[in-house]
């Protein structure tokens, strides 16, 4: 179905894809694996003609989909064989209404009205969109928008569906909805799916095969074979390597069948305690904090206190009020009522420059913080604005993600690299209260690990760090405390281990296999081992 024959692509003399050859058969669910910046988005976009037609660069070799060469064709010319869903579906919508969005492609293809209605209705039923068919796109949750984007790509009846991190902005429940819909497409309609995703723990169980993109080369194989040698792998695979399980297993079900001896060995060890985290004096207080939008109460009378040294994960389903709460804490967001105090001051009463040194926030769209023409200029500007030593921002960026071209424009970076740059700019100011909204989107496991380490160090230095996230594996590494929101109200607040262990939705993979333990590193330390990735 999808055939790459000695494909090479790059800019100037730097190949992103280097002699890539592979085949994905019809009706296959294939997972594309690789580190941040490895070129996964480039590979995906080459299948529907976005690369090199809209990106520039030089390409050699050939790509066929369903027997047709896609070299030199425009995405519109390939809509009947390749459906493409980008990282941010909202940015790709061309209408304001669900049904109009689904019908748009059919209109461009000149389908008869009766055929158009039939096809839209079939897609609505297939993807479970009947309850939102008449709604506006702005009123949908992130998971619903993602399914609409998939539906819009399917209207033309493509043989292959290509998706770039479709669950990166979704809570665990919404991610399962999207992945289950893709699973039905593969098994019920025979659609070939190629999907790139950093949160491999979510996707591995659905995939039939995998591709590893590393150093411009591609290795193809079963999911287990690829993840066993990949520089990025979900916790279940890393735990399997540590325990010496054959395979290693790639699903919780498989791992639990091997885990009895490991559970017995850990039963005599003491589970790590969150109480060891040093907590300093109180820094943040809110009293009856309320945020309203027209017709919606996003934050409903939240009372929250946090101290220096705390590492707080703010969790909850999409639309639960997490982002609205963060912006209200930072002082830029609206408030309908209540108070916020950070270190004795209300951030909303400060000018922007002073506010940033008191409460720094990295938004869910990190490009909103970036304005310079190059990465180097962005870092230099952050150093100057924060009064930091020259090179401070660049060093933070190097710690977060490797091999970022200092001369590149921030808009030309990958999603993960751009996020890392925004994080570095914010961290340069070292505000006592650091707020991050979905900071792990686009980061691979090493990048998330490096981020967790840096945030822990900031907390140990006396900062209070609050992170809104759907990434349960990152929470297991980073958080000492978890606050769960639902409909704008706090429904759970306590030690991270206690909160996530009690929730099937928010429990990390390791806890599901060896209850009480959250990360592979904890297991390795308890067993007296070395590096968890050996």
């Amino acid at each position: 179905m999808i055939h790459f024959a000695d494909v090479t692509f790059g800019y100037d003399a730097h190949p992103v894809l280097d002699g890539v050859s592979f085949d994905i058969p019809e009706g296959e669910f294939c997972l594309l694996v690789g580190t941040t910046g490895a070129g996964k988005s480039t590979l995906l976009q080459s299948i529907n003609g976005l690369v090199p037609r809209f990106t520039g660069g030089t390409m050699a070799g050939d790509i066929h989909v369903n027997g047709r060469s896609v070299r030199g064709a425009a995405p519109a010319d390939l809509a009947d064989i390749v459906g493409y869903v980008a990282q941010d579906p909202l940015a790709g919508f061309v209408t304001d209404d669900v049904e109009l969005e689904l019908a748009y492609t059919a209109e461009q293809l000149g389908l008869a009205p009766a055929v158009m209605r039939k096809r839209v209705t079939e897609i609505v039923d297939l993807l479970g969109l009947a309850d939102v068919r008449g709604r506006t796109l702005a009123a949908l949750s992130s998971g619903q928008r993602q399914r609409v984007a998939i539906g819009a790509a399917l209207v033309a009846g493509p043989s292959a569906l290509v998706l770039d991190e479709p669950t990166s902005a979704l809570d665990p429940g919404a991610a399962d909805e999207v992945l289950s819909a893709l699973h039905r497409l593969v098994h019920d309609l025979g659609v070939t799916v190629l999907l790139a995703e950093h949160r491999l723990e979510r996707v591995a169980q659905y995939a039939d095969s995998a591709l590893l993109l590393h150093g411009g080369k591609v290795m193809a194989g079963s999911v287990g074979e690829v993840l066993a040698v990949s520089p990025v792998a979900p916790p279940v695979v890393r735990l399997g390597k540590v325990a010496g399980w054959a395979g290693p297993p790639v699903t919780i079900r498989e791992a639990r069948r091997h885990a009895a001896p490991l559970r017995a060995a850990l039963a005599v060890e003491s589970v790590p305690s969150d109480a060891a985290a040093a907590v300093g004096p109180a820094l943040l207080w809110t009293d009856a904090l309320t945020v309203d939008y027209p017709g919606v109460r996003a934050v409903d009378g939240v009372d929250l206190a946090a101290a220096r040294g705390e590492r707080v994960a703010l969790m909850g389903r999409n639309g639960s009020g997490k982002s609205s709460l963060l912006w209200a804490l930072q002082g830029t967001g609206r408030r309908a009522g209540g108070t916020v105090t950070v270190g004795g001051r209300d951030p909303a009463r400060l000018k922007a420059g002073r506010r940033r040194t008191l409460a720094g926030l990295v938004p869910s769209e990190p490009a909103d913080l970036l304005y310079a023409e190059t990465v180097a200029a962005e870092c230099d500007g952050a150093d100057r604005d924060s009064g930091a030593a020259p090179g401070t921002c660049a060093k933070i960026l190097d710690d977060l993600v490797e091999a970022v071209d200092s001369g590149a424009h921030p808009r030309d970076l990958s999603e993960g690299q751009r996020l890392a740059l925004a994080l570095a700019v914010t961290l340069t100011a070292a505000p006592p209260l650091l707020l991050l909204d979905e900071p792990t989107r686009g980061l691979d496991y090493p990048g998330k690990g490096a981020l967790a380490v840096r945030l822990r160090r900031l907390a140990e230095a006396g900062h209070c760090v609050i992170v809104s996230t759907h990434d349960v594996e990152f929470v297991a590494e980073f958080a000492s405390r978890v606050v769960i929101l639902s409909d704008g109200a706090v429904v759970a607040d306590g030690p991270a281990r206690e909160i996530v262990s009690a929730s099937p939705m928010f429990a990390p993979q390791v806890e599901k296999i060896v209850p009480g333990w959250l990360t592979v590193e904890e297991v390795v330390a308890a067993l007296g081992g070395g590096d968890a990735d050996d």
Side-chain angles (χ1 to χ4, degrees), residues 33-73:
V33 180
T35 58
T36 298
K40 299 186 298 298
S41 295
T42 297
L43 188 151
L44 296 181
Q45 291 171 4
S46 69
I47 298 173
N48 82 325
L50 284 171
V51 171
R53 189 178 183 91
F54 292 100
T55 63
T58 303
M59 177 174 280
D62 208 354
I63 304 171
H64 285 80
V65 179
N66 201 20
R68 190 196 305 180
S69 176
V70 304
R71 282 290 309 279

Side-chain angles (χ1 to χ4, degrees), residues 387-415:
T392 299
C393 182
K395 176 62 169 62
I396 296 172
L397 180 61
D398 288 340
D399 289 344
L400 291 173
V401 62
E402 296 180 356
V404 176
D405 182 1
S406 63
H409 195 289
R411 304 283 175 172
D412 292 333
L413 301 179
S414 70
E415 184 81 11

